[in-house]
Amino acid sequence: DTEVTQTPKHLVMGMTNKKSLKCEQHMGHRAMYWYKQKAKKPPELMFVYSYEKLSINESVPSRFSPECPNSSLLNLHLHALQPEDSALYLCASSQLGMNTEAFFGQGTRLTVV
Amino acid sequence: QQQVKQSPQSLIVQKGGIPIINCAYENTAFDYFPWYQQFPGKGPALLIAIRPDVSEKKEGRFTISFNKSAKQFSLHIMDSQPGDSATYFCAASYGFQKLVFGTGTRLLVSP
């Protein structure tokens, strides 16, 4: 199983809402990532978890709050987002170590209204 | 220094043609150079990757050429097919966690 599963596939939320994005993998990967991708742009790294601990935060606003409850799950909690936060949010996972392949999920298309 | 420059932005070739996508980087600490393919509505998928101690790598119809002294690398797609129509991203990383993506190339292969 080389799949990274993200739910939901689509999400529309208001600026005062609280929502969560979920990501799951069963490949035994101990590194998990959140990326943000705007239309016609490359993915941009947001957060990296290694062994369920946050290891990289790319200066992401606090309205995005990641959580890694166990080695298979990764969440992204959203609160008080702005319309400019509308994007495709991608989860990825990889083995720890040098030059390992990152497997991406198909993403959650988020629209903030 | 962290940027990876990619060109062209878009590319149209006929079926059977050989599209070539080029990337350039500045940071000599980069030591892993993957290429990702992304279809609309999908996440990126690894196509092929190369390390700087290798000048060329082939996997099926896909070939990476790597020029370490020029800090450039490129993707060639042999005998391109309409199913290859997608957006292609080059990327670079050092260590094991920080992938820096190029700006992307939208490829259209006409039948």
Side-chain angles (χ1 to χ4, degrees):
Chain A
D1 180 6
T2 58
E3 222 174 70
V4 176
T5 303
Q6 290 187 244
T7 56
K9 288 185 172 46
H10 301 274
L11 178 63
V12 179
M13 62 184 290
M15 290 188 283
T16 58
N17 291 160
K18 287 184 180 181
K19 297 286 185 183
S20 296
L21 309 185
K22 297 185 183 302
C23 173
E24 189 169 4
Q25 58 88 15
H26 295 288
M27 294 177 278
H29 291 166
R30 301 308 296 272
M32 295 188 75
Y33 312 78
W34 282 113
Y35 284 83
K36 175 181 178 180
Q37 187 176 26
K38 301 282 275 186
K40 299 185 181 182
K41 297 291 185 182
E44 294 181 352
L45 183 65
M46 300 175 71
F47 302 104
V48 181
Y49 273 82
S50 304
Y51 291 111
E52 298 87 70
K53 293 193 187 315
L54 184 65
S55 58
I56 295 176
N57 177 342
E58 291 287 275
S59 303
V60 179
S62 59
R63 57 185 184 269
F64 296 91
S65 176
E67 178 196 22
C68 191
N70 61 53
S71 60
S72 300
L73 294 175
L74 186 66
N75 298 322
L76 186 63
H77 303 298
L78 312 173
H79 173 55
L81 294 192
Q82 303 297 309
E84 58 264 30
D85 296 322
S86 299
L88 182 68
Y89 287 85
L90 294 162
C91 173
S93 71
S94 73
Q95 305 269 15
L96 283 168
M98 305 294 287
N99 306 331
T100 59
E101 178 180 355
F103 290 82
F104 284 82
Q106 67 177 22
T108 293
R109 176 74 59 189
L110 174 68
T111 303
V112 182
V113 298
Chain B
Q1 270 253 326
Q2 285 292 86
Q3 284 186 330
V4 178
K5 296 181 180 179
Q6 183 172 346
S7 63
Q9 187 175 358
S10 63
L11 190 53
I12 301 174
V13 300
Q14 289 193 325
K15 179 182 173 182
I18 305 176
I20 300 172
I21 304 170
N22 300 300
C23 288
Y25 63 98
E26 289 295 325
N27 188 346
T28 55
F30 287 140
D31 59 3
Y32 176 63
F33 300 88
W35 284 88
Y36 282 85
Q37 179 188 57
Q38 186 175 26
F39 294 103
K42 302 291 187 183
L46 181 68
L47 205 55
I48 184 172
I50 198 167
R51 294 184 61 178
D53 52 351
V54 176
S55 61
E56 185 176 278
K57 182 175 182 180
K58 290 183 180 181
E59 285 188 4
R61 296 184 293 109
F62 301 93
T63 299
I64 300 178
S65 298
F66 190 89
N67 185 330
K68 187 175 180 179
S69 60
K71 292 184 284 187
Q72 296 175 347
F73 57 111
S74 59
L75 176 71
H76 297 60
I77 305 176
M78 306 301 178
D79 187 27
S80 58
Q81 301 296 314
D84 296 329
S85 298
T87 298
Y88 292 81
F89 292 99
C90 62
S93 74
Y94 59 92
F96 61 90
Q97 293 188 332
K98 296 192 70 169
L99 266 178
V100 178
F101 284 87
T103 48
T105 297
R106 300 182 76 181
L107 172 66
L108 177 63
V109 181
S110 59

